[in-house]
Amino acid sequence: MNLNLGLFGHELVVDNFAGGGGASEGIEQALGRSVDLAINHDEAAIAVHTANHPGSEHAVADVWDIDPEKATRGMPVGLAWFSPDCRHHSKAKGGRPVSKSVRGLAWVAARWAAKVKPRVIILENVEEFLDWGPLIKGSDGKCRPDPARKGQTFRGFVRALGRHGYQVDWKILRACDYGAPTIRRRLFLIARRDGLPICWPKPTHADPAAPSVRRGKMKAYRTAAECIDWSIPCPSIFDRDRPLAENTLKRIAKGVMRYVVDSGDPFIVPIANYGSGAVQANDIHEPLRTITAWPKGGSFAVVSPTLIQTGYGERQGQSPRVLDLHKPLGTVVAGGQKHALVSAFLAKHFTGVVGDDLRNPVPTITATDHNALVAANLVNLKGSDRGGRNLREPMPTVCAGGTHAAAVAAFLAPYYGSGSGETGRDLRAPAPTVTTKDRFQLVTVTIEGEQYVITDIGMRMLQPHELAAAQGFPPGYQLEEANGKRVPKYTQVRLIGNSVCPPLARAIVEANFTHERRFMPAPDAVAA
């Protein structure tokens, strides 16, 4: 076994259910060394873990097939981390049948407690893990949790750890409070048998408006926009070979209304960073929602409206001089913002969920994530030129007299469901005449006193490297290639969604082991 004699001296660190390495990354950041043993049944997960943590020994095996005594070879264990499959505890499972064997994976921790007695055990799961109880068979013959015995098995699990000499405590923590740009909420259980206190880390980040942030005592939440790679195009939803589902269109329309048209303060993407090839960090105030490993297809999408403001002194009949979104921003004149902008928000492709402002943390990322970036192109209500609708090209001025802008407004009218009885028009049919006084089907946005109309809406799913950033993985964490092979995109998303947020794992481990540093010899003494 690869022994790294560091903070724990001769003690081992073991990561069960290691996955792609989220917990291991946080542990390594906290302790300054790799975990000694990483266990997972998934070969793809272990390949990614190995690529990022080559100093660990790896076991591709079912956790029940690992004998703790043989695996540790008689060495004492300082920390054993467990992140058992959460799907059959999660509320996202709804009323669907659950598996007793999957729900019982946490008993592996009790097995390690009985056989090798790790000094500290840390377990991570969804907050519904507290409701872990017996199952009953329904009329369909399938098993579901017994509501009358909710939490019974969890309490038995805690008692089992107690019989092996452990003091146990648990708490629900949010990753955004510890520096990850996601609001992911998870239950953490800590058990220790060394007589030292169980310590919970103090939050380091908070809402930008919080007094602690304003006084400089805490940092502002990291946000969804920080994770977006603005160099990736956001294709139009109207030019797709396969039309989007009606419910998806409804969610996009509602999101455009909520986060662009009616917001009063839509998130604006600085053009200096749009298409620059770098992930942008914006002056925004909240983190992304929780990232999970499923459902299939991904759940976060980006929606971003592009705003074009004209007025550079064009001659009579001259086309407006607008800016290429892929070039550096030109001089901003004193007369106002004379350049193109992009307004964006996240669309969450779950039933009944509209989306979220990019100034918020990322929602929970699932194993097959459903978050998409949506972009609505807007142009200023000045001039008389008709515009195209390619998100990657500048837009000329569009008048209020009915052009492509009205066609997109026709999309918003039927799908937003305003209750007015207006059914809208087919986008392939001519748009009705629209005037500045009677804005039939014309949706306008006012930003800093200037009026804009929507000319296009683009959408794309968030990519694995964006989701990894939202989950709190450090830049350069290798997900695309492992063991000399390309890792499929769906596998990357699954590994990210199933992972522990590294900043949160780091905070918990530091809180429970940093106080021991004073008992350890100096690095030079260890080396000697």
Side-chain angles (χ1 to χ4, degrees):
M1 177 170 290
N2 178 26
L3 299 181
N4 295 293
L5 301 182
L7 175 64
F8 291 111
H10 64 288
E11 293 181 314
L12 303 180
V13 182
V14 181
D15 185 1
N16 289 268
F17 309 97
S24 293
E25 177 64 27
I27 294 170
E28 182 172 332
Q29 290 177 13
L31 303 181
R33 70 177 182 93
S34 300
V35 301
D36 294 289
L37 175 63
I39 303 168
N40 201 280
H41 70 285
D42 187 334
E43 290 188 12
I46 286 296
V48 169
H49 194 289
T50 302
N52 291 281
H53 305 283
S56 303
E57 181 176 346
H58 295 86
V60 181
D62 186 295
V63 289
W64 290 112
D65 294 335
I66 298 291
D67 184 330
E69 293 175 308
K70 291 182 179 179
T72 57
R73 301 173 190 173
M75 297 291 290
V77 180
L79 170 64
W81 183 287
F82 299 86
S83 296
D85 194 319
C86 66
R87 291 173 300 164
H88 289 249
H89 289 287
S90 175
K91 58 189 173 186
K93 188 76 172 174
R96 290 174 291 175
V98 297
S99 165
K100 182 178 180 180
S101 61
V102 174
R103 283 167 64 87
L105 285 172
W107 285 111
V108 170
R111 184 187 187 209
W112 277 71
K115 288 207 160 193
V116 297
K117 294 180 169 50
R119 191 155 58 86
V120 179
I121 289 173
I122 300 177
L123 183 145
E124 177 261 0
N125 213 291
V126 293
E127 52 193 303
E128 295 83 16
F129 184 74
L130 293 171
D131 298 333
W132 181 20
L135 303 177
I136 54 174
K137 283 188 177 182
S139 57
D140 58 359
K142 296 179 180 179
C143 293
R144 292 175 176 83
D146 183 349
R149 303 169 73 186
K150 184 182 295 187
Q152 182 175 310
T153 307
F154 174 78
R155 293 189 292 272
F157 174 73
V158 172
R159 289 195 298 270
L161 292 176
R163 287 195 294 271
H164 294 297
Y166 287 88
Q167 295 295 318
V168 185
D169 194 14
W170 56 89
K171 197 170 186 177
I172 294 172
L173 303 177
R174 296 197 314 168
C176 60
D177 294 332
Y178 300 91
T182 173
I183 65 168
R184 185 185 183 102
R185 287 167 56 93
R186 286 295 182 266
L187 170 74
F188 289 88
L189 179 148
I190 302 176
R192 58 188 315 159
R193 64 186 310 278
D194 56 4
L196 292 173
I198 292 173
C199 299
W200 294 104
K202 295 181 179 179
T204 56
H205 293 65
D207 189 291
S212 57
V213 174
R214 292 184 174 182
R215 291 196 299 265
K217 293 185 177 181
M218 297 179 72
K219 297 179 181 179
Y221 285 143
R222 295 177 61 196
T223 60
E226 177 184 341
C227 308
I228 304 300
D229 184 346
W230 299 107
S231 68
I232 302 175
C234 200
S236 173
I237 64 173
F238 304 109
D239 297 331
R240 298 172 57 92
D241 293 334
R242 182 180 179 183
L244 294 171
E246 182 172 330
N247 284 338
T248 299
L249 292 173
K250 287 181 178 179
R251 285 192 288 269
I252 292 174
K254 287 179 181 287
V256 169
M257 293 299 295
R258 179 179 298 177
Y259 299 112
V260 181
V261 178
D262 295 334
S263 75
D265 181 28
F267 172 75
I268 303 298
V269 180
I271 294 304
N273 293 311
Y274 191 79
S276 63
V279 176
Q280 179 197 355
N282 297 282
D283 183 16
I284 45 184
H285 312 296
E286 299 178 4
L288 191 65
R289 294 290 179 263
T290 306
I291 302 166
T292 65
W294 50 278
K296 186 177 180 180
S299 60
F300 286 113
V302 186
V303 182
S304 63
T306 299
L307 307 125
I308 305 294
Q309 188 167 26
T310 64
Y312 279 94
E314 293 86 355
R315 297 188 305 275
Q316 183 76 22
Q318 181 182 0
S319 297
R321 285 178 275 178
V322 295
L323 304 177
D324 186 335
L325 300 186
H326 290 273
K327 293 181 180 179
L329 182 66
T331 303
V332 179
V333 298
Q337 291 181 319
K338 305 289 186 178
H339 52 276
L341 300 173
V342 175
S343 177
F345 67 92
L346 283 176
K348 183 82 170 177
H349 292 335
F350 285 147
T351 302
V353 181
V354 174
D356 204 3
D357 194 311
L358 286 178
R359 286 167 286 206
N360 295 334
V362 181
T364 301
I365 297 173
T366 63
T368 47
D369 203 58
H370 279 67
N371 294 284
L373 178 67
V374 178
N377 286 359
L378 309 181
V379 296
N380 197 286
L381 278 172
K382 294 179 180 178
S384 58
D385 293 292
R386 295 172 182 264
R389 65 170 190 255
N390 191 332
L391 271 174
R392 298 178 292 280
E393 297 177 1
M395 289 291 297
T397 303
V398 177
C399 68
T403 59
H404 174 68
V408 177
F411 155 76
L412 288 175
Y415 284 107
Y416 181 57
S418 61
S420 63
E422 172 57 52
T423 58
R425 291 174 179 252
D426 192 313
L427 285 176
R428 293 162 293 188
T433 301
V434 181
T435 66
T436 55
K437 290 185 179 181
D438 181 13
R439 293 197 178 95
F440 176 67
Q441 293 188 341
L442 178 64
V443 179
T444 63
V445 184
T446 301
I447 301 175
E448 296 187 359
E450 292 288 343
Q451 229 175 8
Y452 296 83
V453 292
I454 299 174
T455 61
D456 195 15
I457 299 172
M459 185 194 77
R460 68 170 179 82
M461 303 307 295
L462 294 191
Q463 299 301 301
H465 69 284
E466 296 171 303
L467 297 173
Q471 193 79 333
F473 282 90
Y477 198 87
Q478 181 58 257
L479 290 162
E480 295 183 358
E481 185 175 317
N483 199 25
K485 298 180 181 179
R486 184 87 176 169
V487 179
K489 180 180 173 181
Y490 70 88
T491 301
Q492 296 180 52
V493 174
R494 173 173 58 82
L495 294 178
I496 295 166
N498 282 331
S499 69
V500 177
C501 293
L504 193 43
R506 174 178 181 168
I508 292 172
V509 172
E510 283 184 339
N512 285 277
F513 290 102
T514 299
H515 64 282
E516 298 181 355
R517 292 184 186 276
R518 65 181 184 274
F519 301 122
M520 302 303 298
D524 291 343
V526 174

